[in-house]
Amino acid sequence: LDSLLQESVLIMSLCKRILLARSTCSIRSTRLFSTEERWRSAQLTHRTVIRVSGNESATFLQGLITNDINSLVDKETNSLHCMFLNTGGRVLFDSIISPGFEPNEFMVEVDSGLAKTVIKHLNMYKVRRKLQIEALKNLNIYAVYHDKLSVNTSPAHQTQSDVIGSTFCDGGTRGSQLPDFSGQSEAVMCHPDPRVDLLGYRFLSSKGDTPESALSLNVENVSLDDYTEYRFKLGVPEGAQEILPAKALPLEYNMDYLHGVSFHKGCYIGQELTARTHHTGVIRKRILPIQFLEKSGQSQPSLEPDTSILNESGKSVGKLRRVSANYGLALL
């Protein structure tokens, strides 16, 4: 009885610390709620939405993704970040999932170059479930963001230890501090980016609506390169060019910090290696943002993926993944 009591006290203490950490997350900038500030909108032509619909769609996805689909089913959040893994625990593709326009329907956003692979992967595990899986080619995806926002988070009980690379203990879905723009119309869907608030919103439109016309924000259109450079500044990877299919490990790509993995849900494909890596406590290499002190020009050769990054002693400390203008991502 004493041991059970001690265990209960320990669990309650842990829950209290986690709730405290969550409750102290806030947006420092009141400009977030101002319609006068200029927001930016970039069409994500490199992303495609796969629609999964049917009475068993939630159960089906729950067994395939690193995050907990129940947060969407229970309407605790409007979207979630996750990865689909192979049986060896390696990443096949990353995704942002949101509820669809109809009941028992989910929008699975993936890399456009992997769309056919994604559909094949989903159909392989569909078995006899009565599901419909199809790519929505007429659905446009936008990122709507504000590059002047800043977020204040509490460091209390966030990682397993103070060691650099230590895993984040509460890597599942999170509550966004962004204003709610959902329910704009039957043809438009807008939800906060589930990874970090600094990435703003994901805006989906099926009838040609744009963020400039549909949102009550002052929005200007920018290029995909502008958004990519901003994303690199934040150190957020996405897509097959940055997250190598069948090679990358979820925690190496900061899925614990980007709220893309639940360590408390049931079994899913590839879970064993991910859980074991988490419980070791430390990841030896992670994807990180890098900045070049000199802009790329004629005097500087173009940098290819997997270019070695050297320290001052000339020793390799990691590999370059991708570059956009003066910023990039590297596995260090």
Side-chain angles (χ1 to χ4, degrees):
L1 182 61
D2 290 340
S3 62
L4 287 175
L5 181 61
Q6 291 177 359
E7 184 177 354
S8 299
V9 172
L10 180 61
I11 293 174
M12 290 177 65
S13 176
L14 178 60
C15 292
K16 183 178 180 180
R17 291 182 182 182
I18 292 175
L19 289 173
L20 177 62
R22 285 180 170 176
S23 64
T24 51
C25 293
S26 62
I27 300 293
R28 288 203 300 264
S29 176
T30 57
R31 289 178 291 184
L32 179 65
F33 300 92
S34 173
T35 58
E36 300 299 325
E37 292 294 329
R38 183 62 65 90
W39 288 67
R40 297 181 177 183
S41 166
Q43 185 171 356
L44 307 183
T45 54
H46 66 301
R47 305 291 285 182
T48 295
V49 168
I50 309 296
R51 178 169 60 191
V52 179
S53 58
N55 292 334
E56 298 180 84
S57 56
T59 304
F60 169 66
L61 291 172
Q62 180 76 329
L64 298 177
I65 64 175
T66 56
N67 218 331
D68 192 348
I69 198 73
N70 288 321
S71 62
L72 294 180
V73 175
D74 298 336
K75 298 182 179 180
E76 296 175 0
T77 183
N78 293 326
S79 62
L80 63 80
H81 180 38
C82 66
M83 287 185 173
F84 290 74
L85 311 180
N86 61 19
T87 54
R90 303 279 176 171
V91 178
L92 292 177
F93 48 90
D94 64 296
S95 178
I96 292 177
I97 302 180
S98 58
F101 295 102
E102 302 294 335
N104 298 317
E105 181 180 86
F106 294 94
M107 303 298 196
V108 182
E109 180 198 312
V110 297
D111 188 312
S112 296
L114 296 176
K116 291 183 179 179
T117 302
V118 172
I119 292 176
K120 181 179 179 180
H121 177 76
L122 296 177
N123 281 324
M124 181 173 64
Y125 289 99
K126 175 183 173 182
V127 195
R128 297 182 180 179
R129 293 184 179 94
K130 294 181 179 180
L131 301 173
Q132 290 189 353
I133 301 170
E134 58 182 335
L136 300 181
K137 297 181 180 180
N138 65 333
L139 194 67
N140 296 319
I141 309 170
Y142 295 84
V144 183
Y145 64 98
H146 190 325
D147 60 354
K148 301 301 181 183
L149 295 180
S150 59
V151 178
N152 181 29
T153 58
S154 169
H157 198 71
Q158 289 189 343
T159 59
Q160 291 203 45
S161 73
D162 295 330
V163 178
I164 295 177
S166 182
T167 55
F168 185 60
C169 297
D170 193 24
T173 54
R174 65 184 180 87
S176 173
Q177 300 294 320
L178 293 169
D180 185 12
F181 285 104
S182 61
Q184 293 289 312
S185 73
E186 294 181 355
V188 169
M189 184 182 303
C190 185
H191 56 77
D193 193 304
R195 296 170 293 187
V196 289
D197 276 340
L198 293 179
L199 284 173
Y201 297 92
R202 274 303 206 259
F203 179 95
L204 284 68
S205 170
S206 62
K207 292 186 179 180
D209 290 308
T210 64
E212 294 94 317
S213 62
L215 297 180
S216 56
L217 293 172
N218 185 4
V219 182
E220 66 173 342
N221 183 263
V222 297
S223 69
L224 176 59
D225 289 339
D226 288 332
Y227 170 72
T228 301
E229 182 179 355
Y230 176 69
R231 181 167 57 80
F232 284 1
K233 289 181 184 180
L234 300 178
V236 179
E238 69 179 23
Q241 287 185 304
E242 300 158 28
I243 307 172
L244 298 182
K247 292 184 179 180
L249 294 173
L251 299 184
E252 288 182 349
Y253 285 77
N254 299 329
M255 290 299 286
D256 47 345
Y257 286 95
L258 295 175
H259 308 281
V261 57
S262 171
F263 299 116
H264 310 293
K265 63 172 284 187
C267 296
Y268 58 89
I269 293 175
Q271 179 195 28
E272 182 179 355
L273 179 60
T274 304
R276 186 167 68 246
T277 304
H278 168 62
H279 289 300
T280 62
V282 177
I283 310 301
R284 294 186 177 182
K285 54 184 178 179
R286 284 185 180 269
I287 200 78
L288 294 172
I290 58 174
Q291 181 180 5
F292 297 95
L293 300 181
E294 296 182 4
K295 291 186 177 181
S296 299
Q298 294 181 353
S299 61
Q300 182 177 348
S302 60
L303 298 173
E304 299 295 330
D306 287 334
T307 298
S308 293
I309 296 179
L310 310 179
N311 62 12
E312 294 178 349
S313 303
K315 181 180 178 181
S316 177
V317 293
K319 299 286 186 179
L320 183 70
R321 286 271 27 95
R322 194 179 168 204
V323 175
S324 178
N326 217 29
Y327 294 87
L329 295 175
L331 194 61
L332 303 173

